[in-house]
Amino acid sequence: MSNPSLLILPGDGIGQEVMVEVRKIIDWYGENRGLNFDVSEDLVGGAAYDKHGVPLADETMAKAQEVDAVLLGAVGGPKYDVLDFSVKPERGLLRLRKEMDLFANLRPAQCFDALADFSSLKKDIVSGLDIMIVRELTSGSYFGEPRGIFEENGQRVGINTQRYTEAEIARVARSAFELARRRNNRVCSMEKANVMESGILWRDVVEEIHKAEYSDVELSHMYADNGAMQLVRAPKQFDVILTDNLFGDILSDCAAMLTGSLGMLPSASLGAPMENGRPKAMYEPVHGSAPDIMGQGKANPCACILSFAMALRYSFDQGEEATRLETAVEKVLASGVRTGDLMQSDGGTPVSTSQMGDAILAELSSSL
Ligand code: NAD
């Protein structure tokens, strides 16, 4: 059987720096766990624009469609701010999401004990937190028509349309239920069925899918505004949160910050299953290209390394190895090793990007 394939797109700024550390981890898995990947690397964002005059070449897009998973660093930077909107680095990322039809965005909010003090909430509220937000990513208010700014009775009117088909709701609901089965078997679906018809349909379809295919999973519903309150009041009550594009945008950022630094946050975007049963998938840290620290060895590689852990779990069925990697990150943090974004006045050992990668590798090796 051929090795699973992985397309690496480091992108710009610290995307390139953190990906060097991920490559070390990938090599470690080949050498120590017999997990070999066919890895190819290509350009995206400003780096692709510099070479091809576009933020994503057609050949790169074609490759992304063929591989088992894409791992992306970050795109963008001040050098490209002057470019026309159509060729800005971010357009490369959007093209990947759109053409791969990555409709389910997974954003875990997990609080490593060693970093509980970074949260703006009290330690006992976030310590041990482990929730997953599943946000619908390709429809809803950000895409619905009609949209635009129109003239009406002598004044301007801004219009966006919240629109969901049953099929769009059903497929992302299935993603959430499948995930819950691999976790603690609970889904809380959030919408505003009290004031929005799209919310009523959302709730109906989620219930139908639940009844027909996932009755073993515990399902609850919550209005999204209450969901926001509950996320800061008692976030540990949740396992998987399922929600639409607009509410998910807000709720996932809120949940992410419960856990501290941007340098720690991974994400996955999943699409429909391919012929081999694996979902189309792209994994990437939540952070951007951080031009303020690029080239200085200051970037925290953990978000990107944890994104690779998500790839191990969700694309390559290597849940145990994903846990091994997450545990290694947790142990390194617990030992006080810190990149600059995680330094606090009460100490810790300051390390560079590559030293953080090496510390995680050493921890992986001692796990054997
Ligand atoms: P950013 O995430 O790049 O940085 C925000 C702040 O967090 C900066 O101070 C940065 O130094 C810090 N930071 C981010 N990641 C870090 C890490 N791994 N380790 C340590 N510190 C880290 O967001 P920004 O400054 O708003 O945007 C910079 C560029 O990145 C822009 O061009 C923007 O368009 C782009 N961007 C890209 C993505 C993406 O590729 N998915 C996401 C967000 C922003």
Side-chain angles (χ1 to χ4, degrees), residues 68 178 182 271-280 314-317:
D68 293 317
E178 291 288 341
R182 293 164 174 233
M274 299 183 282
E275 264 174 30
N276 61 13
R278 295 183 170 123
K280 283 239 157 119
Y314 298 119
S315 281
F316 303 122
D317 255 331

Side-chain angles (χ1 to χ4, degrees), residues 115-129:
L115 301 182
D117 284 332
F118 277 81
S119 174
S120 51
L121 298 188
K122 291 192 192 99
K123 194 170 178 170
D124 62 314
I125 292 184
V126 291
S127 177
L129 177 75

Side-chain angles (χ1 to χ4, degrees), residues 9-10 14-15 18-19 22 71-75 93 97 107 262-268 282-288 300-308:
L9 302 172
I14 66 163
V18 296
M19 204 57 91
V22 179
L71 187 61
L72 186 136
V75 298
L93 187 54
R97 286 182 186 154
R107 292 264 299 262
L262 201 49
M264 292 300 304
L265 297 169
S267 79
M282 182 159 77
Y283 299 87
E284 53 182 316
V286 170
H287 64 72
N300 181 352
C302 289
C304 202
I305 289 171
L306 292 169
S307 300
F308 175 64

Side-chain angles (χ1 to χ4, degrees), residues 30-82:
E31 285 155 22
N32 295 281
R33 305 299 299 155
L35 256 182
N36 292 296
F37 297 93
D38 284 339
V39 180
S40 52
E41 191 165 319
D42 212 327
L43 304 172
V44 68
Y49 178 82
D50 288 341
K51 179 146 187 230
H52 304 295
V54 285
L56 187 76
D58 290 343
E59 306 83 72
T60 317
M61 187 64 241
K63 262 192 236 171
Q65 295 283 21
E66 278 162 21
V67 291
D68 293 317
V70 176
L71 187 61
L72 186 136
V75 298
K79 179 181 162 193
Y80 307 104
D81 285 349
V82 293

Side-chain angles (χ1 to χ4, degrees), residues 189-231:
S189 172
M190 296 188 184
E191 26 57 17
K192 295 253 321 161
N194 50 341
V195 287
M196 296 170 77
E197 284 75 8
S198 57
I200 296 174
L201 182 70
W202 183 280
R203 194 175 281 218
D204 276 359
V205 174
V206 171
E207 295 240 326
E208 285 161 20
I209 297 291
H210 175 248
K211 200 168 159 204
E213 300 167 41
Y214 297 96
S215 56
D216 56 304
V217 180
E218 191 182 313
L219 171 67
S220 59
H221 303 276
M222 198 177 269
Y223 297 137
D225 48 347
N226 183 27
M229 278 200 288
Q230 296 300 329
L231 266 178

